[in-house]
Structures are given as structure tokens and as C-alpha cells.
Amino acid sequence: MRTWLGIDFGTSGVKAILVTDDGDVVERGHAEYPSWESGGAHEQQAEDYIGAVRRAVAHFERKPDGIGIVGHTPSLVLAAEDATAVRPVITWRDGRPTEEAEWLRRSLRSSLDVFGVDNLWDVSQLPAKLLWLARNDPRALAATKWLLTPKDFIGFRLTGSAATDAWSGKGLWSIAEGRPSPDVFAAAGVDEDLLAPVLDPWEVLGATTASAAAEFGLPAGCPVVVGWSDAMGGMLGIGAAALPRSFVLAGTSDIVGRSFSADEATKAGVYRVPASCSPIPVDYGPTQSSGASLLWLSRLTGRTPGELVAAAAGAAETDAVFLPYLRGERAPLWDPSVRASFSDIAESDGLEEVALATMRGVGLSNRHVLDACGHPEAGEPVHLGGSDVGSAGWTRARVEALGVDLVIHLEPQLPALGAAMLARSGATGDPIAESYRRLGADVRVVRADEAAGGAARRRYSAYRRQVAVAVGDYRLDY
């Protein structure tokens, strides 16, 4: 039976899974790589990615029939013609291009006009990074053949061919115009030809070369697809890039959104992945703190995150409301200065109830993003993926926040699974929906009772009132 290798380059390490054509995961591996942080900088060495892949797949006994790659974005690799990195990788967490981001906001048209996507003048995005490099490391840019993301660099190293996809390259690529953004490249004073060719994520980039096979510990001649961002890989793994649905990909922060059968009007506060970049359009947004909120409470209380989740499962009913804005909030507020808060705490509330309120606040922030993506059909379930989402504490918190049935996807590595689906579609020519049907993870449904919807609406109204206070808009009435 054919097998498909999915590789996910996260911020701290690589995860790899090998999936058979009937959806069984027969091999798993992971390996970490270091980051360098100082004074706002957050960089990695591209060569570390290669060693991590080799370690992650070293024990795999079966050989893949295709390879898919997803990875963290917006992170920037400056690649030389010989598929080596000119300088360290600037990751999405790098905060140095603040002046450049502000200059772009002041000097150019709106991000939505330039790219067809909002919020791309942010310090984390590719335009600010490119402008920062032009001002601070022009020699590196002069030695660069291709501007790539981490997964693109690995594809280049595996096959000798360079390409990216439109969504991973957004900010350098204008989705609205279907070409490199002249505004950004002119501002940086560099040639548009530095952006690698833009192909579909499931398109075959090439086959692994003999030298790459020896370097990575993979078979030679194996087809490699272009790949996608890790967020889009997760959306494919949970089915949202193949079938219309509401979803939450949970982690330290969450990716929350809805997919649709056809493009709808652009919405404020979230990203729109149009049909030109995905099998079906998706509206989504990343939150700032999800599991990070539980880690914060763990530090305060001396209880482990697992103990807090268990405590929340047994908590008494509570009206306490928590805004999980410990480091500001991304979607749908995009306000780094807004801060977390508790409200409506009663004297009878103890640690268990505070733990539940904290986790429920994460669920309410999920609902806030879903609300920004467009109102779902009444009773429409929310698909959930990620570590620990199926635990009693987290499912209680999210049912109390969302008020609908939860569909728990049991595969813990959904971005890597999405990468395997890309590999299958590229190698076989089957549509993405067919690869999802074959490889999609098993699910477990958590039912919401009849009263859950009304209770969740009341909690959400209280949450939105607190949001209004947090952003200083006391006129809002929820």
C-alpha cells in the first residue's frame, strides 16, 4: 500500500508522520531545533532544519511514495543559488522591524488594497522583514537568489527547484494582482525576481535528488509537493480546506475560522484565504493566548497544566469571565496593548472555578473570532484539533463558551497530516477533498445539551462587555 510523508516545521521543531492510503499513521517522529533570541530578534539556522528532518525520520522503516511539507510563516529564508542559506532565518516572532512596519503603514496603500489581504503591514509579516533586511543587511540580500519560507527552503534543498505558494508568500506576493507586489519590492529597493515562482501547494515541485536523499535519509526520486503554511496544513488536516465547516486548531495560541463553499464578502479582523489560494475559501484568525493562558495560571498557582484541566472539569458553576489577552490580542482585535482581566468572580469561587473561567475565556475568544468570520448556521458543530482538546476540562470549557456540539479530531499532528494529504494529491492527481476523505483522522463527538446554547449566549454577552471595557469603547452594548 502506498504511503505519504507529511512534515511540519513548527517554531521549535519538526514533526513527521507516514500515512497509508487508507489513513493509518504507521510512523511518527519529531526533533527539535534551537532559536536565537536577543533584543527583539528571533532567528534560526536553516541547516538545523535538515538535521532535524533526518533525526525525525531515522527510524522509519517504510519509504514514502510522496512528500508534503508545511511550515511556520511568515518567516523568511534568504537562499543562495546552491540551496544554502545566506544568513540566519528571520522567524515570524522577530520583533525588530517595528519602524519598517510603521513606515509601510504610513507610506503605502492599505494592506487590503496592495495584497488583497488585511493586516500584512504588521511587524511579524514579510514586507517589514524585507524592508528591515534592505536597511540592515543589504550584503545578504545581494547574495540572495530566492526569498523563501522554511518549508520552501527544504523543498529547494530536496529537489533543486525553488517555489512557494501564494498564501505562504503573501506580503511579497499580491494575491489581489497575482504577481509580486511592486510596492513592497520598490520600497525595499530589491528585484521582484527574488521571489520564487508561485505554484499551488499540492503541485509537484520535483523529486528528491540523490544528494538530498543521502542528506535527509529519504529515498531518491520521491515526488515532493510545494507545500503550505503550517496553519493551512492544520486546516487541511481538520478538513476545513476541503469541506465547509467551523474549526479551532488549539495550541499555545489558537487558529480559529470557518470555510465556505464559495467566496463571500471580506470581513474585518480576520484573514481571507480566497479560492485562488485554497480548494475552498477560508476566513480565519490567530488568537494570542490559548494554552499560554493555562501556562500563566500554572505559574501563579504552582499547579501543573494537567492538574488545572482536571480541576476545571470538576468545578462548580461560576459566572466568572476571563479575557485571555495576556500579551495583547491578535484576531479579531489586532491590539498588542489590550490586556487580560477577570470579572464577576464570587466569594465562593476557588481555584477550580478560576481554572474553568480561564479555559472558558479561551473558548469565548474562539467564539469572538468565529463571530468575525460570519455567523454559522444554528447548531452547526465546531471541529476541534490539537493537543488535549478532548480532555474533560477543555471540552466542558468550550461547550460552555460555544454552546454547540464539538467534533474532536483525534490525530494530534493535524498540520503534518495535512502535509501528507498534499503529497497524496500531488502524486496521484486526486482532488484535495478525496485525499482528505481517505486520510482524514478519526473523530469523537461531544454533544451539547439543549440548555447549552442559551447559557453560552449569556456568557458571550458578558465577555463582549468586558472586551468593550478592555478596548476603551464603553458605547458598545452587548
Side-chain angles (χ1 to χ4, degrees):
M1 181 175 289
R2 294 175 299 184
T3 58
W4 313 105
L5 176 60
I7 305 175
D8 170 27
F9 288 90
T11 306
S12 59
V14 67
K15 302 175 183 69
I17 62 174
L18 194 65
V19 189
T20 67
D21 218 27
D22 60 4
D24 290 333
V25 177
V26 293
E27 303 274 14
R28 296 182 184 274
H30 73 277
E32 296 184 352
Y33 35 74
S35 299
W36 176 78
E37 297 182 73
S38 178
H42 194 278
E43 296 184 338
Q44 295 171 344
Q45 295 294 335
E47 296 295 324
D48 288 339
Y49 301 156
I50 299 163
V53 172
R54 187 175 186 88
R55 296 193 302 277
V57 304
H59 62 283
F60 285 17
E61 295 182 357
R62 300 177 66 168
K63 302 301 182 184
D65 294 281
I67 300 172
I69 314 168
V70 299
H72 58 88
T73 62
S75 300
L76 189 58
V77 185
L78 273 54
E81 193 166 6
D82 64 354
T84 60
V86 173
R87 69 175 315 281
V89 181
I90 302 179
T91 80
W92 64 274
R93 293 182 63 183
D94 196 293
R96 287 173 292 182
T98 53
E99 292 182 7
E100 288 73 20
E102 182 58 32
W103 185 90
L104 289 165
R105 256 190 301 270
R106 290 195 318 267
S107 304
L108 301 183
R109 296 172 295 151
S110 75
S111 167
L112 191 60
D113 290 341
V114 174
F115 307 114
V117 181
D118 209 355
N119 302 313
L120 295 189
W121 296 140
D122 188 76
V123 64
S124 67
Q125 299 290 339
L126 294 177
K129 288 180 171 61
L130 182 62
L131 190 56
W132 185 89
L133 285 166
R135 292 175 174 180
N136 293 276
D137 201 352
R139 293 180 63 183
L141 278 173
T144 297
K145 173 64 176 176
W146 299 117
L147 299 171
L148 304 173
T149 70
K151 60 91 176 172
D152 302 327
F153 174 78
I154 294 300
F156 186 21
R157 190 70 163 248
L158 282 169
T159 67
S161 299
T164 191
D165 67 280
W167 191 250
S168 298
K170 66 185 182 298
L172 303 182
W173 179 263
S174 171
I175 290 170
E177 298 179 347
R179 61 168 179 159
S181 171
D183 292 353
V184 171
F185 282 92
V190 298
D191 198 317
E192 296 175 17
D193 290 342
L194 289 182
L195 181 62
V198 171
L199 304 176
D200 286 330
W202 47 87
E203 193 167 341
V204 174
L205 176 65
T208 50
T209 64
S211 60
E215 185 175 39
F216 285 86
L218 295 168
C222 188
V224 180
V225 297
V226 173
W228 230 346
S229 72
D230 53 357
M232 293 305 300
M235 291 180 216
L236 178 53
I238 208 169
L243 300 167
R245 59 187 43 171
S246 298
F247 64 91
V248 176
L249 295 166
T252 304
S253 61
D254 289 347
I255 302 290
V256 186
R258 296 189 69 218
S259 54
F260 307 87
S261 57
D263 273 329
E264 297 190 358
T266 301
K267 304 175 182 73
V270 293
Y271 291 128
R272 157 63 51 85
V273 186
S276 61
C277 299
S278 172
I280 61 173
V282 183
D283 285 351
Y284 82 95
T287 66
Q288 190 66 38
S289 293
S290 176
S293 296
L294 203 60
L295 292 173
W296 166 78
L297 188 61
S298 174
R299 291 195 303 271
L300 286 185
T301 62
R303 302 290 185 91
T304 68
E307 289 172 337
L308 292 171
V309 172
E317 293 296 321
T318 176
D319 293 327
V321 177
F322 176 66
L323 299 189
Y325 302 161
L326 296 163
R327 297 178 61 189
E329 181 58 300
R330 292 190 284 178
L333 299 181
W334 301 102
D335 185 348
S337 64
V338 68
R339 285 295 175 261
S341 64
F342 275 103
S343 66
D344 299 303
I345 299 174
E347 184 180 22
S348 57
D349 288 333
L351 178 61
E352 293 84 357
E353 290 71 40
V354 170
L356 175 61
T358 300
M359 296 162 61
R360 196 166 63 198
V362 169
L364 290 165
S365 75
N366 295 163
R367 183 167 181 163
H368 197 182
V369 181
L370 288 172
D371 195 40
C373 291
H375 294 285
E377 298 293 329
E380 176 184 314
V382 173
H383 290 251
L384 279 168
S387 177
D388 209 27
V389 292
S391 66
W394 274 114
T395 55
R396 176 185 177 180
R398 282 197 166 92
V399 166
E400 290 187 1
L402 300 173
V404 297
D405 293 350
L406 306 179
V407 181
I408 310 295
H409 289 246
L410 302 181
E411 170 54 50
Q413 305 300 342
L414 289 174
L417 180 61
M421 294 175 188
L422 292 175
R424 186 188 180 280
S425 285
T428 65
D430 281 348
I432 287 293
E434 173 64 13
S435 289
Y436 173 74
R437 187 185 71 80
R438 285 182 173 270
L439 306 189
D442 292 336
V443 301
R444 176 172 65 88
V445 178
V446 176
R447 301 291 182 187
D449 62 33
E450 292 184 6
R457 284 191 293 274
R458 291 192 296 275
R459 295 186 184 103
Y460 186 55
S461 293
Y463 177 87
R464 291 297 298 266
R465 285 194 293 271
Q466 284 302 109
V467 173
V469 172
V471 300
D473 189 349
Y474 303 104
R475 300 166 298 168
L476 299 179
D477 182 11
Y478 295 101

